Amino acid sequence: MDQERQTYYLFKIFISILKLTVPLPKNFYDDVYKIVKKIPSGRVTSYGAIAEVLGAKGASRTVGYAMNKSHGSPSIPAHRVVNRAGLLTGKHHFGSINEMESLLNKEGIRVINNKIQNFQEIFWNPIIELQKDIETSEIEFPE
């Protein structure tokens, strides 16, 4: 293995270890759910956008885990959270393979081949949209 590849793999290992040693807040899932509940009907956001607003920019996968765990709660609109390209990557965790798309369609969101068609137009950016909540401290944001 050449030096460049070895350095790359050592860096990847270091980042993995760092992610394991930097704990998320105890109420991280609850904070994710508070944000997801605020996404209006007909709008979507991404796992990464939620992670970023919570001060855990690299934790988009953890946001996905929170979404998977939330499917028993009808008050959490997990179908409104997609990946950064607008793909329905979480659709396999719903009751049926088409449930996520069906819920989005009912809200007027057009999906073709598992991708939201006007993603940029309907993207709900929590960093911008939650300014009022940040000011009133309804959600615990890192300082």
Side-chain angles (χ1 to χ4, degrees):
M1 183 181 301
D2 63 24
Q3 182 68 33
E4 188 176 324
R5 275 186 115 163
Q6 186 175 14
T7 303
Y8 170 79
Y9 287 115
L10 287 172
F11 179 75
K12 294 281 279 185
I13 291 168
F14 172 76
I15 294 299
S16 297
I17 291 168
L18 183 63
K19 284 180 182 177
L20 292 174
T21 58
V22 177
L24 293 171
K26 289 181 183 178
N27 56 352
F28 186 77
Y29 278 22
D30 292 335
D31 288 344
V32 168
Y33 299 148
K34 286 177 188 175
I35 291 171
V36 173
K37 287 178 182 180
K38 294 182 176 295
I39 305 169
S41 178
R43 304 282 301 275
V44 295
T45 195
S46 68
Y47 304 105
I50 293 170
E52 186 174 353
V53 79
L54 290 174
K57 192 171 184 174
S60 57
R61 191 168 289 179
T62 306
V63 172
Y65 296 148
M67 292 296 85
N68 293 342
K69 204 170 184 180
S70 74
H71 291 301
S73 176
S75 68
I76 301 171
H79 63 284
R80 295 180 188 150
V81 183
V82 297
N83 83 355
R84 66 181 171 196
L87 292 171
L88 311 187
T89 54
K91 72 178 193 169
H92 301 288
H93 302 285
F94 284 79
S96 74
I97 195 76
N98 296 318
E99 184 178 355
M100 184 178 188
E101 183 175 340
S102 176
L103 290 167
L104 290 168
N105 286 335
K106 286 178 186 175
E107 295 181 3
I109 297 174
R110 191 164 168 237
V111 178
I112 298 175
N113 295 325
N114 298 315
K115 185 172 182 174
I116 295 173
Q117 293 307 291
N118 54 341
F119 181 62
Q120 293 302 320
E121 294 170 31
I122 64 169
F123 182 75
W124 184 82
N125 186 338
I127 294 170
I128 295 168
E129 305 289 347
L130 295 177
Q131 277 304 101
K132 291 176 188 170
D133 290 338
I134 292 170
E135 292 165 7
T136 61
S137 300
E138 184 177 321
I139 297 173
E140 293 179 34
F141 295 93
E143 294 183 20

